[in-house]
Amino acid sequence: MVQLVGSLRKELADSISTCKVLVVGAGGIGCELLKNLVLTGFKNIEVIDLDTIDVSNLNRQFLFQKKHVGKSKAQVAKESALQFCPSANITAYHDSIMNPEYNVEFFRKFMLVMNALDNRAARNHVNRMCLAADIPLIESGTAGYLGQVTVIKKGMTECYECQPKPAQKTFPGCTIRNTPSEPIHCIVWAKYLFNQLFGEEDADQEVSPDTADPEAAWNPEETAARATASDKDGDIKRVSTKEWARSTGYDSVKLFNKLFKDDIMYLLTMDKLWKKRKAPTPLDWHQLENSECPKEGTPASGLKDQQVLDVWGYCQLFQHSVETLRSQLQEKGEGAELVWDKDDPPAMDFVTAAANLRMHIFSMNMKSRFDVKSMAGNIIPAIATTNAVIAGLIVLEGLKILSGELESCRTIFLNKCPNLRKKLLVPCVLDPPSANCYVCASKPEVTVKLNVHKTMVLTLQDKIVKERFGMVAPDVQIEDGKGTILISSEEGETEGNNNKFLSDFGIRNGSRLQADDFLQDYTLLINVLHDLERDVEFEVVGEAPDKAPPPQTNQEEVNSITNGNKDSAQPSTSSKGQHRSGHDLTSHSCYISAKRLSSVSEVELSSR
């Protein structure tokens, strides 16, 4: 006769009470997950999260209260979860999982790792650490009413990076407000700014510098102090962005200097942010007017929407669009609001100008109006009930693993609407590892097209090895028979190489580079394919559009769905493509939908 402890078999209950679990992320999914774990009987839990609690988190992250604003998410989540089960042993880390101290040996302490993250870089990193440690990883995410849970096990299933990911669409709040590194960050910021000035204000769409950014203050007490101080600014009571703009009569020059000069100068005082990043450069309207205005610009060629203006050109566009939008507000009357629409010329002009000015400040190449319009997708809100459903499914998959039933684990999709079988939850058989994966293959290898005469070592390090291939502290050597070190993870050792071209080191068509990340226990061979014809900096061979997951039939629906790890979530709710598994729940029938939904993640734009 089977012995039960509550509703669980005794053997499983014993495993639950003794196994060690790592929860990465204590936001929307993480809070629900931590509560579920202690109520299920898990006693040994470690939770890590870099973020601090923001007011905008309180509508869905139920382990937090108003008194906790500014404090460490991981620490407060631990304290709140212990109230459900005081006997649990929970360790909290207010830190980044990508820090070197959380190495392979750290991961090997655990029987299970559960991700509740909101960004791709951290997901890639945890994926690699779990592969290196050979520990099962349960990946999860939500996007509005959509959600997904899947299990990753070395040698048995696809890893997180087996399939190419769509373009990133949404991002953590501190990235948008403090440390943008890609044009899309600036475009999202500009859309938020439009709403703060002319539309419906939203606490999740704040654009001013985030004083509670955990990177700016690693000491929790200092972070809390910053968060409290941010409401005061000395003895001056802060007003909303819209109230301030109204008080100036929507003066475009005052708005410009506040957004692109004063706020940037304030960001520069948060000096910890700029230790490993290039610091932003403030813009001053009057200086630009004096230096740029008299210059006669050369006429731009091509279609108007595809032209990239100079800085002063975007200053003038900003001024003109603000004046037009102000007039529209006045015509609508007191208390009126505008709604951003990419097909509304003044609104599109405003976002194009503001985004490009911010790109210039943060040393990015500016974009044409056409490019900005194509990148400005919709933002999907976080839904508390979706987080709760997904957190429950994570625990259920964990129980299967602890029961020794890994073969019964599934990728489970949560749909907004029932499929043809009237199911909201659609399970799919886990796919095996991809033979072409550059992470979990037995000998990871890629081919990269680039121009060796134009590509600098710094570009190889930052944009290719770190950003594209997700390494944290890479060492790169040339396979030239001498073992020439091109990039070293030791600070200062190869900095002199940064501004040299790859061709300066004898790298040519057919050269091979070996990139190692000892923290991730990961080695990647990079074949260099010299390409003179392309204007793009580099291209990974085999990741052209025809190799990517097939697009959804309803393109408008595809463009409207985004998620917090910056990947596209595309579960179809049409009769033609309801996960393709509404008709047949076999592995093959789920295959295409699993690629489309391969990495739905939590939409938590304000620090999860």
Side-chain angles (χ1 to χ4, degrees), residues 32-90:
E32 293 287 342
L33 177 58
L34 205 56
K35 175 260 295 178
N36 289 350
L37 288 172
V38 295
L39 291 177
T40 304
F42 287 85
K43 300 291 186 182
N44 299 293
I45 305 167
E46 298 192 16
V47 58
I48 182 167
D49 196 303
L50 175 67
D51 282 353
T52 52
I53 298 162
D54 187 78
V55 173
S56 62
N57 303 147
L58 303 183
N59 70 340
R60 60 192 178 276
Q61 299 176 20
F62 300 123
L63 296 185
F64 309 143
Q65 300 173 30
K66 190 173 181 181
K67 64 183 180 182
H68 297 136
V69 170
K71 295 182 179 179
S72 160
K73 282 189 175 182
Q75 186 61 40
V76 174
K78 166 194 168 178
E79 293 166 2
S80 299
L82 285 174
Q83 295 181 37
F84 291 97
C85 181
S87 62
N89 178 25
I90 304 176

Side-chain angles (χ1 to χ4, degrees), residues 124 126-135 137 151-165 431-446 469 471 520-525 595:
N124 288 346
V126 174
N127 174 60
R128 296 177 188 192
M129 299 305 289
C130 288
L131 291 172
D134 199 8
I135 302 297
L137 168 64
V151 174
I152 296 168
K153 181 67 171 72
K154 182 178 182 179
M156 295 183 65
T157 73
E158 282 188 339
C159 79
Y160 177 72
E161 297 170 83
C162 270
Q163 297 298 327
K165 303 294 188 292
D431 286 307
S434 168
N436 298 320
C437 180
Y438 64 78
V439 174
C440 68
S442 57
K443 292 183 178 179
E445 188 168 341
V446 291
F469 296 127
M471 292 191 176
Q520 297 178 345
D521 193 17
Y522 173 50
T523 299
L524 177 66
L525 287 176
K595 303 314 143 204

Side-chain angles (χ1 to χ4, degrees), residues 426-606:
V426 182
C428 296
V429 174
L430 297 170
D431 286 307
S434 168
N436 298 320
C437 180
Y438 64 78
V439 174
C440 68
S442 57
K443 292 183 178 179
E445 188 168 341
V446 291
T447 298
V448 179
K449 282 185 181 180
L450 49 77
N451 189 324
V452 297
H453 303 301
K454 294 182 179 179
T455 304
M456 291 185 175
V457 173
L458 187 62
T459 300
L460 174 69
Q461 173 184 284
D462 290 350
K463 294 192 176 181
I464 301 178
V465 179
K466 286 187 176 180
E467 185 177 320
R468 179 61 192 80
F469 296 127
M471 292 191 176
V472 177
D475 294 281
V476 179
Q477 68 177 24
I478 308 170
E479 291 198 340
D480 55 1
K482 307 172 190 174
T484 303
I485 304 296
L486 196 63
I487 298 167
S488 173
S489 57
E490 296 294 327
E491 191 172 346
E493 196 169 291
T494 55
E495 278 185 10
N497 296 344
N498 284 353
N499 296 320
K500 295 180 181 178
F501 296 106
L502 299 186
S503 57
D504 296 338
F505 296 88
I507 296 173
R508 58 186 185 277
N509 189 55
S511 292
R512 285 164 62 91
L513 310 176
Q514 179 176 308
D516 295 284
D517 191 315
F518 294 105
L519 172 61
Q520 297 178 345
D521 193 17
Y522 173 50
T523 299
L524 177 66
L525 287 176
I526 302 173
N527 297 301
V528 176
L529 190 60
H530 178 53
D531 189 351
L532 289 168
E533 298 177 2
R534 291 187 168 276
D535 291 330
V536 294
E537 283 186 300
F538 69 92
E539 178 186 304
V540 180
V541 175
E543 292 192 346
D546 60 327
K547 298 287 186 181
Q552 196 76 304
T553 302
N554 186 342
Q555 189 61 37
E556 184 177 344
E557 181 180 1
V558 172
N559 292 339
S560 71
I561 300 174
T562 57
N563 60 38
N565 80 332
K566 312 146 183 143
D567 305 329
S568 178
Q570 305 178 143
S572 170
T573 53
S574 69
S575 59
K576 189 171 182 179
Q578 287 184 325
H579 276 327
R580 295 291 300 275
S581 52
H583 306 285
D584 180 7
L585 295 183
T586 63
S587 176
H588 177 74
S589 68
C590 291
Y591 185 79
I592 293 177
S593 64
K595 303 314 143 204
R596 292 177 183 156
L597 255 178
S598 59
S599 53
V600 183
S601 78
E602 184 180 357
V603 181
E604 302 275 11
L605 290 175
S606 184

